């Protein structure tokens, strides 16, 4: 039996101004239903002030096999991190 | 535990890939749904997470039994909230299992036709209000022992579900202990009810951890894959050591004449449960086994028209929207 309700991914923004964060998934027949279910399943303890729901089928994800080629270019650019540079203590807070 | 006697599935994969997979696990990597994984790892996890999910869902029944008869409105609201949490825990876990390529409906059907199990503990009846105390205190207490380490399990979606569950589980145990405190400070009859609940739930709670590691043939592979984090005996001992002082605090007696502190091992010696009873319950011969599955079957059958109607309504709305555009 596979004519179940479609899968939705749920994102919640908490109270402290951070971005929406993926919290899990659920089944629902349409967007309004998904929001309703997300409220019941993922915000029983005031975990959020805003809910996004996205049909799981609409998400395009990078493939785990691309791990190398996607992220390698960052490997040799450690100067992008502030800790790459030695600033003398005498220069004060920076 | 909520997942008992999980048979680890044999794996027939390329040895090189298996070794690379094990190296990732040993290095503390999380395995994500789209990553390569051995067939045995996938199948064992579906069985384990599925059984865990079913236990959360079936676990609503013995407590749901008391919602309409809770002694006060506040207790009723608290019990409702707890039972609703259990439903939520079941849903988090079903979603985690679904990432492994099994559908929610398939999982439900496997529970209903007996191919998948739920924890032995929920095949026992809840006869008095004090049982709500004993279940929260002992059953949720035992579950926490197992679930806290599972937050570090190797499969990402399972670990994340466990983090959410553990956050909520502590409320469950405390509300149970709170009920027990109220009962033991009540009338003589209430105190007797509390003792009676402990007497009936003690050994079934010990069974939750599963048979002794010495007899558990499936533990080794699962431990290597980090989908089982601790031995059954180790967790059972920890549970006893934590619970005995709490029973003393309540002025209740653990129903075990041989229970005593062992100075040398720095832990309690205790009598193990009757394992023949455990195996019998797991086979579906527990006092409430038939009733539990019948209740799930009825919910599934009675809900069929709702599942279909919602889908039909959503399709109709979509069609109307397309026509309007």
């Amino acid at each position: 039996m596979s004519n179940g309700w479609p899968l939705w991914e749920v994102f919640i923004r908490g109270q402290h101004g951070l971005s929406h964060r993926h919290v899990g998934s659920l089944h629902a027949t349409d967007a309004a239903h998904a929001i309703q279910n997300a409220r019941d399943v993922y915000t029983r303890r005031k975990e959020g002030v805003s809910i996004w729901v996205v049909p799981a089928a609409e998400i395009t994800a990078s493939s785990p096999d691309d791990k190398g080629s996607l992220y390698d270019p960052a490997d040799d650019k450690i100067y992008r991190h502030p800790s790459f540079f030695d600033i003398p203590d005498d220069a004060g807070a920076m | 535990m909520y997942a008992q006697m999980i048979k680890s599935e044999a794996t027939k994969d390329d040895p090189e890939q298996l070794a690379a997979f094990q190296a990732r696990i040993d290095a503390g990597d999380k395995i994500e749904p789209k990553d390569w994984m051995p067939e045995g790892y996938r199948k064992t996890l579906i069985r384990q997470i599925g059984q865990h999910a079913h236990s959360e869902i079936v676990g609503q029944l013995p407590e749901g039994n008391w919602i309409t008869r809770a002694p006060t409105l506040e207790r009723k609201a608290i019990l409702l909230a707890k039972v609703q949490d259990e439903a939520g825990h079941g849903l988090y876990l079903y979603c985690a299992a679904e990432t492994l390529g099994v559908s929610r409906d398939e999982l439900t059907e496997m529970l209903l036709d007996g191919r998948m199990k739920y924890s032995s503990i929920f095949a026992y009846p809840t006869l008095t209000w004090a049982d709500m105390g004993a279940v929260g205190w002992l059953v949720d207490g035992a579950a926490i022992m197992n679930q806290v380490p599972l937050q570090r399990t190797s499969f990402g979606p399972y670990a994340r579900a466990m983090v959410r569950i553990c956050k909520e589980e502590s409320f469950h145990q405390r509300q149970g202990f709170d009920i027990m405190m109220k009962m033991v400070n009540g009338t003589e009859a209430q105190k007797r009810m509390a003792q009676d609940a402990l007497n009936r739930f003690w050994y079934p709670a010990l069974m939750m951890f599963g048979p002794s590691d010495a007899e558990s043939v499936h533990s080794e592979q699962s431990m290597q894959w980090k989908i089982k984090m601790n031995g059954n005996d180790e967790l059972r001992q920890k549970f006893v050591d934590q619970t005995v002082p709490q029973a003393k605090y309540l002025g209740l007696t653990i129903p075990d004449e041989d229970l005593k502190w062992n100075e040398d091992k720095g832990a309690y010696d205790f009598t193990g449960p009757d394992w023949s009873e455990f195996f019998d319950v797991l086979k579906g011969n527990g006092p409430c086994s038939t009733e539990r599955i019948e209740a799930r079957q009825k919910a599934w059958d009675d809900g069929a028209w709702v599942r279909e109607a919602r889908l039909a309504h959503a399709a109709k709305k979509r069609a109307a929207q397309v026509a309007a555009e």
Side-chain angles (χ1 to χ4, degrees):
Chain A
M1 217 189 123
S2 56
N3 61 339
W5 295 348
L7 190 68
W8 298 70
E9 298 298 333
V10 181
F11 301 79
I12 307 258
R13 179 155 53 77
Q15 302 184 10
H16 306 293
L18 295 175
S19 317
H20 282 78
R21 196 171 146 233
H22 181 241
V23 293
S25 45
L26 49 77
H27 290 270
T29 48
D30 56 32
H33 187 210
I35 294 262
Q36 224 172 51
N37 284 356
R39 197 272 314 261
D40 290 344
V41 180
Y42 291 109
T43 64
R44 288 194 301 280
R45 289 175 175 76
K46 295 172 75 89
E47 285 90 339
V49 291
S50 167
I51 302 175
W52 286 351
V53 291
V54 183
E58 296 292 323
I59 291 183
T60 309
S62 63
S63 155
D65 302 334
D66 293 340
K67 234 182 226 165
S69 55
L70 271 181
Y71 309 114
D72 276 355
D75 282 353
D76 56 359
K77 297 180 182 62
I78 51 171
Y79 43 77
R80 283 194 158 130
H81 296 278
S83 54
F84 178 76
F85 304 94
D86 271 334
I87 305 293
D89 290 346
D90 299 347
M94 190 177 288
Chain B
M1 194 31 58
Y2 280 11
Q4 295 157 326
M5 300 286 292
I6 298 302
K7 183 167 163 269
S8 57
E9 302 274 350
T11 226
K12 274 186 245 154
D13 295 286
D14 169 45
E16 220 166 278
Q17 264 184 317
L18 274 178
F21 179 78
Q22 189 60 49
R24 285 193 62 193
I25 288 187
D26 294 343
D29 264 15
K30 289 279 181 253
I31 308 302
E32 295 298 336
K34 286 183 168 180
D35 295 352
W36 183 86
M37 63 184 81
E39 231 5 72
Y41 179 85
R42 180 189 301 277
K43 284 190 186 154
T44 308
L45 267 178
I46 289 177
R47 201 188 282 261
Q48 178 172 337
I49 302 174
Q51 183 171 327
H52 197 155
H54 296 325
S55 299
E56 301 282 357
I57 297 298
V58 175
Q60 294 177 98
L61 298 170
E63 292 185 298
N65 183 36
W66 280 91
I67 290 174
T68 56
R69 290 172 287 165
T72 67
L73 185 58
E74 186 186 53
R75 290 286 178 196
K76 181 176 181 159
I78 292 171
L79 187 58
L80 258 176
K82 180 187 190 271
V83 172
Q84 194 190 10
D85 272 355
E86 306 298 0
H89 296 179
L91 296 182
Y92 306 155
L93 287 161
Y94 281 132
C95 283
E98 284 182 288
T99 65
L100 291 159
V102 63
S103 77
R104 177 88 51 98
D105 291 356
E106 280 168 337
L107 289 167
T108 303
E109 278 162 7
M110 283 194 272
L111 169 71
L112 295 179
D113 69 20
R115 274 176 295 161
M116 283 180 105
K117 312 251 176 251
Y118 60 91
S119 176
S120 57
I121 191 74
F122 301 119
Y124 290 87
T126 45
L127 304 176
T128 73
W129 173 253
D131 289 8
M132 294 303 95
V135 166
W137 171 38
L138 301 173
V139 176
D140 290 278
I144 290 171
M145 294 260 142
N146 180 56
Q147 289 173 338
V148 166
L150 276 177
Q151 293 176 99
R152 292 178 284 110
T153 189
S154 62
F155 186 56
Y158 192 25
R160 291 191 284 271
M162 280 296 120
V163 170
R164 298 191 67 81
I165 289 175
C166 285
K167 264 192 204 157
E168 300 176 351
E169 201 78 72
S170 160
F171 144 57
H172 298 177
Q173 192 186 15
R174 282 165 175 239
Q175 67 85 35
F177 196 73
D178 188 60
I179 291 174
M180 292 308 261
M181 285 199 299
K182 199 82 180 172
M183 299 294 286
V184 299
N185 290 313
T187 63
E188 269 313 303
Q190 286 171 321
K191 196 169 173 182
R192 273 200 306 276
M193 276 167 71
Q195 180 64 53
D196 171 62
L198 171 58
N199 291 350
R200 282 181 289 108
F201 275 96
W202 177 251
Y203 288 103
L206 294 186
M207 287 178 201
M208 287 176 68
F209 298 94
S212 172
D213 297 317
E215 292 160 42
S216 189
V217 284
H218 308 296
S219 294
E220 205 179 323
Q221 176 66 78
S222 289
M223 297 267 260
Q224 215 177 17
W225 278 335
K226 290 193 191 162
I227 55 183
K228 182 181 172 76
M229 308 300 284
N230 303 82
N232 298 347
D233 293 322
E234 176 193 351
L235 288 175
R236 187 166 21 246
Q237 182 72 56
K238 205 173 153 196
F239 173 73
V240 170
D241 293 343
Q242 180 185 293
T243 310
V244 171
Q246 292 168 351
K248 273 193 192 135
Y249 177 85
L250 292 170
L252 298 176
T253 312
I254 303 272
D256 178 359
E257 285 178 6
D258 297 324
L259 180 88
K260 64 169 192 296
W261 179 254
N262 180 331
E263 196 61 51
D264 293 337
K265 70 172 184 183
Y268 284 94
D269 288 331
F270 61 95
T271 309
D274 174 0
W275 290 113
S276 61
E277 178 181 322
F278 168 80
F279 288 114
D280 208 34
V281 169
L282 217 57
K283 266 190 226 141
N285 299 323
C288 295
S289 301
T290 310
E291 193 185 324
R292 299 292 185 239
I293 290 301
E294 275 174 5
R296 291 310 306 148
Q297 183 73 55
K298 184 175 184 316
W300 181 245
D301 295 342
D302 290 355
W305 73 270
V306 180
R307 294 194 296 275
E308 286 162 21
R310 279 221 75 126
L311 268 180
H313 180 66
K316 199 169 93 182
K317 265 201 329 198
R318 256 197 319 276
Q321 205 176 5
V322 171
E325 283 164 9

